[in-house]
Amino acid sequence: LRQRLFFAGELVKLAERELAGDALNRHGVAMACRNGAVLQLHSVLTGLLDDVAVRLRLERSPESLTLDTAVAALAARGMASPELGRVRGLLESGGWLQEQVDDARRCLSSQPDGQREAGADDDHHEHGHDHHHDQGRIRMIAVVPATAIEPLSADDFARIRRWIAGWRQLLDEFLVTLDEY
């Protein structure tokens, strides 16, 4: 997982270097590197889920393993994972991890860049500022700040670096508990 964080950091550096260059295709190459960094971070989350599943001997199909299915599979055995609980808490708080997951979803979506992905709980295409009254919409509000930052900007690169730092800190925390399995 730490190797994936390293790759993400290197891809951000490459994106910045490409953007600063004078190649005709520099924007496309920089965007490919930038999105590659986001997807490496997404693979840290999926890798963590897989790691917990292996350690706890959950039946798993890697492509269908989600945080919810892993937590449910553990609960069915009367078990819990402090790591998955911590990840779930971070996602529910709508902070950096939710931003990163939303960004990865956009990278994986077939929608053109700049369009919000229409999810099952997003039938409305307003900007979400005034719609706090139910849980489904609150989750979508986290998308608004993310789309307000232009990809391939210094702010965007800094945000991805914050996500990398967030993951490093989480993995440091998890070193203790993961070794107990």
Side-chain angles (χ1 to χ4, degrees), residues 80-87 174 177 180-181:
S81 160
E83 297 79 25
L84 298 189
R86 180 93 168 84
V87 167
F174 293 170
T177 50
E180 291 172 3
Y181 294 130

Side-chain angles (χ1 to χ4, degrees), residues 73-104:
L74 287 173
R77 292 191 190 179
M79 300 170 80
S81 160
E83 297 79 25
L84 298 189
R86 180 93 168 84
V87 167
R88 177 177 258 175
L90 282 169
L91 285 171
E92 287 171 354
S93 74
W96 69 268
L97 188 54
Q98 184 61 57
E99 273 187 1
Q100 185 240 291
V101 166
D102 287 340
D103 204 328

Side-chain angles (χ1 to χ4, degrees), residues 1-12 33-48 96-97 99-101 103-105 107-108 156-168 170-171:
L1 299 182
R2 288 184 190 278
Q3 186 181 49
R4 295 173 192 187
L5 292 179
F6 170 75
F7 290 161
E10 292 302 302
L11 283 163
V12 171
C33 292
R34 180 247 181 240
N35 286 358
V38 172
L39 293 175
Q40 283 292 335
L41 292 178
H42 182 65
S43 78
V44 175
L45 176 58
T46 58
L48 177 68
W96 69 268
L97 188 54
E99 273 187 1
Q100 185 240 291
V101 166
D103 204 328
R105 231 178 247 135
C107 290
L108 292 165
D156 181 58
F157 294 140
R159 183 179 58 184
I160 294 172
R161 286 195 169 96
R162 281 195 302 275
W163 297 342
I164 293 169
W167 269 117
R168 283 211 172 99
L170 262 186
L171 292 180

Side-chain angles (χ1 to χ4, degrees), residues 81-141:
S81 160
E83 297 79 25
L84 298 189
R86 180 93 168 84
V87 167
R88 177 177 258 175
L90 282 169
L91 285 171
E92 287 171 354
S93 74
W96 69 268
L97 188 54
Q98 184 61 57
E99 273 187 1
Q100 185 240 291
V101 166
D102 287 340
D103 204 328
R105 231 178 247 135
R106 278 191 296 278
C107 290
L108 292 165
S109 169
S110 61
Q111 295 295 311
D113 277 346
Q115 283 189 22
R116 286 179 40 203
E117 180 180 330
D121 54 359
D122 183 27
D123 300 345
H124 61 293
H125 284 282
E126 297 95 35
H127 289 359
H129 294 294
D130 306 313
H131 304 287
H132 306 245
H133 51 277
D134 74 270
Q135 275 304 101
R137 289 195 172 105
I138 288 172
R139 185 146 35 109
M140 294 312 293
I141 288 170

